[in-house]
Amino acid sequence: VSVDGFSGYSRALYANWLWHRPLQLLVDAGEGLSLALGTSVFSVSVVAITHGHSDHVLGLPGFVAARRFGKGATAKPYTILYPEGSPGVTTMRESIAGLWPGVDFPVTWVPLVHGSRHALGSKRTLEAFAVVHATAEPSFGVRVIEDRRRLKAEFAAVPQAVVERLARQHGRDHVMEHYPHVIMAHSGDAMPIDRSLIDRADVLVHDATFLEPTDRREAIHASSREVFDLARDARVRTLILHHLSIRYDRPSALATLRHQLSASGFQGDAWLLDEAAFVNLR
Ligand SMILES: [Zn+2]
């Protein structure tokens, strides 16, 4: 099953990963990843690890092994982006080195800090941003931005023919401006992320471990109620919630999510990724 090019798996504390085939981008690498991806392991160009908690990194050894020893393009290079200084990712790299001593893997490991950018093809850029989550593990969200052009606001009411003449006279940049369009943003595990990062994003994938802010004891995970409001305020097109706590009975949690969604006034599509299923919340 896939929504907007995404497939994935989410079970908090067990395994979380999300695969976006059009961008050849994998976000996180929970257990079971390489089995679920099958031959698609060879389509992955970039793996972005949001943080080093076990449910987001335990699939890394299996993934690099499938890419190196499986049946397919085993020499094809790929990149793993990870939070600089992450204890969890360091542990996984040591496991990989210990399991397969002397083996060269065609992988480039690139540490991320807040604001790090990595090109995805020629038109798009992945950007890491710091989020509020764990204290022992540096934690990031990622967003993919595309450079787009639009008419400057001051020309909005000017007739088309006049705009075209001005562009011929003074050049296109006189009437047009560049702006970053957000193709997708992924919060990783996090408290609600900054709205300015996701203005009019095509897709927002956000932590919704809790249903209500009052259900949480520590300020390390968002609630669905907060995320619906965030998606509404940022005018996101498609929202995918993930990481819903296993404490919640599913039928009643879905009823609560649907009620919160309609009460929030968020107009976009809304889904819950629950284990391997995308559940439509409309
Ligand atoms: Zn976490």
Side-chain angles (χ1 to χ4, degrees):
V1 193
S2 103
V3 164
D4 272 49
F6 288 97
S7 54
Y9 192 91
S10 182
R11 184 169 161 91
L13 303 176
Y14 287 78
N16 295 278
W17 53 269
L18 199 65
W19 163 228
H20 193 263
R21 178 178 293 279
L23 291 169
Q24 302 179 336
L25 171 67
L26 184 66
V27 180
D28 287 335
E31 235 183 310
L33 166 68
S34 52
L35 282 169
L37 282 183
T39 54
S40 290
V41 293
F42 296 103
S43 304
V44 177
S45 293
V46 173
V47 182
I49 301 294
T50 62
H51 66 295
H53 281 162
S54 60
D55 51 332
H56 298 254
V57 299
L58 278 173
L60 274 176
F63 178 79
V64 299
R67 273 296 281 253
R68 179 65 176 77
F69 308 117
K71 194 164 165 54
T74 53
K76 190 176 156 190
Y78 61 102
T79 302
I80 299 179
L81 311 173
Y82 66 98
E84 183 171 53
S86 164
V89 173
T90 301
T91 304
M92 288 301 105
R93 291 184 71 174
E94 288 165 0
S95 295
I96 291 163
L99 285 164
W100 301 287
V103 173
D104 262 338
F105 294 93
V107 54
T108 306
W109 296 82
V110 178
L112 297 173
V113 295
H114 175 69
S116 288
R117 290 178 152 220
H118 183 84
L120 292 182
S122 57
K123 290 189 189 137
R124 289 157 181 173
T125 307
L126 180 145
E127 186 184 273
F129 54 90
V131 297
V132 176
H133 180 46
T135 46
E137 281 286 346
S139 302
F140 294 101
V142 293
R143 60 181 193 149
V144 176
I145 52 188
E146 190 173 85
D147 182 50
R148 291 194 182 170
R149 283 162 170 267
R150 65 186 168 200
L151 194 65
K152 289 179 184 172
E154 68 251 43
F155 296 106
V158 176
Q160 175 86 17
V162 177
V163 171
E164 283 170 12
R165 182 168 49 77
L166 288 169
R168 279 195 301 275
Q169 279 176 352
H170 305 287
R172 198 151 75 129
D173 288 342
H174 181 70
V175 293
M176 305 287 281
E177 63 183 1
H178 291 265
Y179 71 100
H181 176 72
V182 181
I183 303 283
M184 67 84 95
H186 190 307
S187 70
D189 285 6
M191 289 291 282
I193 62 173
D194 191 317
R195 180 181 135 188
S196 65
L197 294 164
I198 50 168
D199 187 46
R200 296 176 188 272
D202 290 340
V203 182
L204 170 64
V205 182
H206 205 295
D207 180 344
T209 298
F210 299 108
L211 296 173
E212 300 288 351
T214 47
D215 291 350
R216 83 183 151 225
R217 276 189 240 145
E218 288 174 275
I220 57 175
H221 289 289
S223 70
S224 54
R225 182 176 294 281
E226 295 163 306
V227 177
F228 286 132
D229 289 350
L230 175 66
R232 176 200 62 212
D233 293 346
R235 291 162 294 183
V236 164
R237 194 192 73 202
T238 298
L239 173 65
I240 299 173
L241 303 177
H242 76 138
H243 212 268
L244 179 66
S245 170
I246 55 174
R247 76 176 64 195
Y248 298 113
D249 163 72
R250 267 17 193 185
S252 63
L254 284 173
T256 301
L257 287 169
R258 290 186 168 116
H259 177 76
Q260 288 178 344
L261 172 60
S262 66
S264 72
F266 171 60
Q267 298 295 320
D269 294 333
W271 303 82
L272 171 69
L273 176 60
D274 197 27
E275 300 195 345
F278 283 96
V279 181
N280 194 338
L281 299 177
R282 287 289 180 196

